[in-house]
């Protein structure tokens, strides 16, 4: 919590702004990385605040305008979301390329270590990239000058211990201050008497431990975990369709109607079922939301687009498995389809393109930059259970982009879940994390 968020916020942002302590023998004018100044800093803060509608509610606190709030209580969660979520995409067109690539190595290492389940390979990769970040900070920023030694703060050394400590005591999310402070807040809320607060706090803690022990031994007593929302539809494996829902089914118009008809014809033909020549297509009754096994609620364009963009935090962008690989898509709606007389939970989605491979590699596998596919290619029907998680897909600028180019978006996966964006995400036969030279020569 403090090392990767608050401490690095106090180190990197002042360096990029040129407000970090400068020795009398040094000069800020010689700092080629100090680019977040004047109008650039103001516009960057506005870009950070403008990302709010694209962040699902499950992503917790959306970063405020950092140019206005950096000195007035910027929260640790805001630093985390700014650095390790928005940073690779928003800083691409701001920081000089060597410094952006250096920063992305920090992002990649920290993202890998914040997964709920961390394969050994990811721990090893994280350690390599955090070491590379540490070494490059000395070569890019300090440049072996004694009057810049104060750039090397203790938080840099702490990075070198994160991966080994993950092996020793588990994921950093369980040993960080987040867990402790959350528990403190939970217990303090239960204290209702101002007298004898500390004995009261101890009693509440003991009672909570006893209740937790009972729930572990008898999980069937936990009514909250077994409850389903009213009028919902459990489709199995932890997936639940949630209202709103159309009262009646009806034919879909436009490209969605064409794609639905084609998909149903293909599926029924696989089972040897004849299709009437004059069949217009299926009548679909839409569902608006689906709860995933990880607790997130995925929404859809059908309902979210009814609200003004500044009044919603969109949760219709999802990570899916499609044709045997990870893809990202925008959900149009959920529905039940009858195939071979069996009801199947399905979703109509619009796929995004595969990422720019150059940006993906240069960013140390942190910037998955995509465009929207044309409707004819992008609209597909998928099993609802192929949706893995809700993600943020945010518009961003790429240096050299022209007005004729398609709008680009970058993908940000929520902290604490298994990440799909890592060195082997492009299905490269060789492990890209092993083949890349971590120590920059720029």
């Amino acid at each position: 919590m403090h090392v990767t968020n608050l401490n690095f916020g106090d180190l990197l942002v002042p360096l990029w702004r040129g407000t970090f302590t400068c020795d009398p023998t040094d000069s800020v004018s010689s700092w080629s990385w100090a680019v977040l100044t004047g109008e650039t800093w103001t516009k960057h803060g506005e870009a950070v605040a403008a990302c709010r509608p694209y962040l699902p509610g499950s992503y917790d606190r959306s970063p405020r305008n950092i140019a206005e709030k950096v000195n007035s209580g910027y929260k640790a969660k805001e630093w985390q979301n700014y650095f390790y979520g928005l940073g690779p995409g928003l800083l691409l067109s701001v920081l000089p390329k060597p410094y952006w690539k250096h920063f992305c190595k920090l992002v990649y290492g920290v993202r890998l270590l914040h997964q709920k389940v961390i394969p050994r390979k990811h721990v090893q990769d994280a350690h390599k990239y955090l070491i590379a970040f540490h070494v490059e900070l000395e070569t890019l920023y300090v440049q072996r000058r004694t009057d810049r030694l104060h750039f090397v703060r203790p938080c840099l050394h702490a990075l070198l211990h994160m991966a080994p400590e993950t092996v020793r005591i588990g994921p950093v999310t369980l040993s960080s201050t987040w867990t402790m402070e959350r528990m403190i807040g939970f217990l303090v809320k239960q204290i209702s008497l101002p007298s004898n607060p500390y004995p009261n706090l101890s009693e509440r803690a003991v009672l909570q431990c006893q209740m937790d022990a009972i729930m572990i031994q008898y999980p069937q007593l936990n009514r909250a975990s077994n409850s389903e929302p009213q009028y919902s539809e459990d489709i199995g494996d932890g997936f639940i369709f949630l209202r709103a829902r159309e009262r009646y089914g009806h034919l879909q118009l436009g490209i969605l109607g064409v794609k639905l008809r084609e998909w149903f014809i293909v599926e029924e033909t696989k089972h040897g079922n004849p299709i009437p020549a004059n069949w217009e297509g299926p009548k679909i009754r839409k569902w608006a939301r689906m709860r995933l096994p990880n607790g997130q609620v995925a929404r859809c364009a059908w309902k979210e687009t009814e609200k003004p963009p500044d009044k919603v935090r969109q949760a219709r962008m999802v990570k899916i498995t499609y044709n045997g690989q990870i893809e990202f898509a925008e959900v149009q709606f959920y529905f039940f389809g009858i195939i071979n007389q069996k009801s199947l939970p399905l979703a109509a989605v619009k796929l995004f393109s595969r990422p720019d491979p150059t940006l993906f590699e240069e960013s140390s596998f942190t910037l998955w930059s995509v465009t929207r596919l044309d409707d004819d290619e992008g609209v597909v029907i998928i099993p609802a259970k192929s949706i893995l998680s809700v993600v943020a897909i945010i518009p961003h600028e790429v240096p050299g982009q022209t007005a004729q180019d398609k709008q680009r978006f970058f993908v940000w996966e929520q902290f604490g879940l298994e990440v799909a964006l890592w060195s082997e995400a492009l299905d490269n036969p060789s492990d890209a994390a092993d083949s890349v030279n971590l120590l920059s020569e720029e």
Side-chain angles (χ1 to χ4, degrees):
M1 173 180 178
H2 291 96
V3 171
T4 57
N5 304 324
L6 299 174
N7 293 162
F8 274 100
D10 287 339
L11 172 63
L12 294 178
V13 170
L15 282 172
W16 296 336
R17 295 182 62 200
T19 59
F20 201 82
T21 305
C22 182
D23 195 273
T25 58
D26 195 5
S27 173
V28 174
S29 62
S30 66
W31 294 2
S32 57
W33 60 81
V35 294
L36 287 177
T37 58
E39 189 67 18
T40 302
W41 176 237
T42 302
K43 289 183 177 180
H44 180 66
E46 293 171 352
V48 172
C51 291
R52 187 180 187 277
Y54 302 96
L55 306 186
S58 58
Y59 277 47
D60 205 337
R61 190 172 189 131
S62 173
R64 295 168 290 171
N65 185 327
I66 191 170
E68 296 177 352
K69 302 296 183 180
V70 68
N71 295 321
S72 56
Y74 217 58
K75 303 295 185 182
K77 190 62 180 179
E78 290 178 284
W79 279 118
Q80 185 185 69
N81 287 342
Y82 167 68
F83 266 147
Y84 308 109
L86 304 179
L90 297 187
L91 293 172
L92 170 63
S93 58
V94 178
L95 289 180
K97 198 166 190 178
Y99 301 100
W100 174 75
K101 292 172 69 174
H102 169 249
F103 166 71
C104 287
K105 291 173 183 175
L106 170 68
V107 175
Y108 184 58
V110 172
R111 281 183 179 180
L112 290 182
L113 294 179
H114 277 74
Q115 297 178 91
K116 186 176 181 180
V117 178
I118 311 176
R120 181 178 294 274
K121 170 67 174 174
H122 288 192
V123 177
Q124 294 168 344
D125 283 355
H127 193 47
K128 289 190 295 184
Y129 276 80
L130 293 179
I131 290 174
F133 173 82
H134 187 292
V135 173
E136 284 189 21
L137 187 135
E138 297 185 18
T139 57
L140 289 173
Y141 291 87
V142 180
Q143 299 173 358
R144 301 188 182 279
R145 295 181 54 157
T146 56
D147 53 3
R148 294 181 182 173
L149 280 177
H150 59 292
F151 292 1
V152 185
R153 289 187 167 181
C155 60
L156 280 168
H157 179 74
L159 283 181
L160 306 182
H161 293 280
M162 288 182 64
E165 288 300 291
T166 297
V167 176
R168 188 177 71 90
I169 61 176
V172 293
T173 52
L174 301 180
S175 58
S176 70
T177 341
W178 298 107
T179 308
M180 182 183 69
E181 292 196 4
R182 176 68 184 88
M183 193 63 196
I184 291 174
F186 176 75
L187 293 174
V188 168
K189 286 181 181 179
Q190 299 186 40
I191 299 177
S192 56
L193 295 176
S195 60
N196 301 321
Y198 293 107
N200 194 350
L201 181 64
S202 299
E203 288 295 327
R204 301 304 302 183
V206 170
L207 178 60
Q208 187 62 46
C209 289
Q210 292 172 340
M211 293 175 61
D212 290 344
I214 292 174
M215 291 300 179
I216 291 172
Q217 294 181 21
Y218 305 100
Q220 63 271 24
L221 297 177
N222 189 355
R223 297 179 180 177
S225 63
N226 298 325
S227 62
E228 296 177 6
Q230 194 174 20
Y231 306 119
S232 63
E233 186 79 25
D234 189 343
I235 61 176
D237 301 321
F239 294 85
I240 301 176
F241 276 181
L242 304 173
R243 298 288 185 105
R245 186 196 68 183
E246 288 185 318
R247 179 171 294 183
Y248 305 108
H250 58 272
L251 293 172
Q252 302 300 306
L253 304 177
I255 189 66
L256 273 171
V258 173
K259 292 292 184 178
L260 281 165
R261 185 176 183 275
E262 290 176 353
W263 186 86
F264 273 84
I265 289 175
V266 169
E267 293 299 315
E268 289 288 14
T269 303
K270 287 180 182 178
H271 294 87
N273 299 324
I275 305 296
N278 61 347
W279 186 58
E280 296 181 349
K283 291 186 176 181
I284 300 299
R285 186 164 63 167
K286 300 176 183 176
W287 287 74
R289 301 179 297 153
M290 182 174 71
R291 191 167 74 188
L292 308 180
N294 62 19
Q296 291 180 313
V297 174
R299 301 177 183 271
C300 69
W302 168 46
K303 282 298 182 181
E304 282 197 339
T305 53
E306 292 179 355
K307 300 178 181 179
D310 60 336
K311 299 297 182 182
V312 64
R313 292 182 61 176
Q314 65 183 26
R316 62 181 183 268
M317 306 300 181
V318 294
K319 176 172 68 175
I320 66 174
T321 53
Y322 181 70
N323 288 340
Q325 65 183 5
I326 296 295
E327 300 283 2
F328 296 92
E330 177 186 29
V331 179
Q332 302 305 298
F333 53 82
Y334 308 93
F335 65 101
F336 285 101
I338 306 298
I339 299 295
N340 198 31
Q341 300 183 352
K342 292 183 180 179
S343 178
L344 302 177
L346 303 167
V349 303
K350 287 186 179 180
L351 295 173
F352 286 87
S353 69
R354 298 298 289 168
D356 183 307
T358 302
L359 283 178
F360 189 57
E361 184 171 343
E362 288 183 345
S363 67
S364 299
F365 320 109
T366 61
L367 185 59
W368 188 278
S369 181
V370 299
T371 60
R372 292 183 182 274
L373 294 176
D374 296 333
D375 286 348
D376 187 57
E377 181 183 4
V379 175
V380 296
I381 311 302
I382 62 171
K385 294 181 183 180
S386 66
I387 295 177
L388 304 177
S389 63
V390 178
V391 300
I393 298 184
I394 306 163
H396 77 114
E397 297 180 2
V398 176
Q401 184 176 355
T402 65
Q404 288 71 37
D405 294 332
K406 281 188 174 183
Q407 172 68 61
R408 299 202 71 86
F409 301 81
F410 69 93
V411 178
W412 165 23
E413 296 183 84
Q414 184 180 5
F415 264 52
L417 302 179
E418 290 76 11
V419 298
L421 308 186
W422 71 295
S423 60
E424 295 177 343
L426 291 179
D427 296 327
N428 193 333
S430 62
D431 184 5
D434 288 335
S435 62
V436 71
N437 179 12
L438 297 184
L439 298 181
S440 173
E441 297 178 358
E442 297 177 79

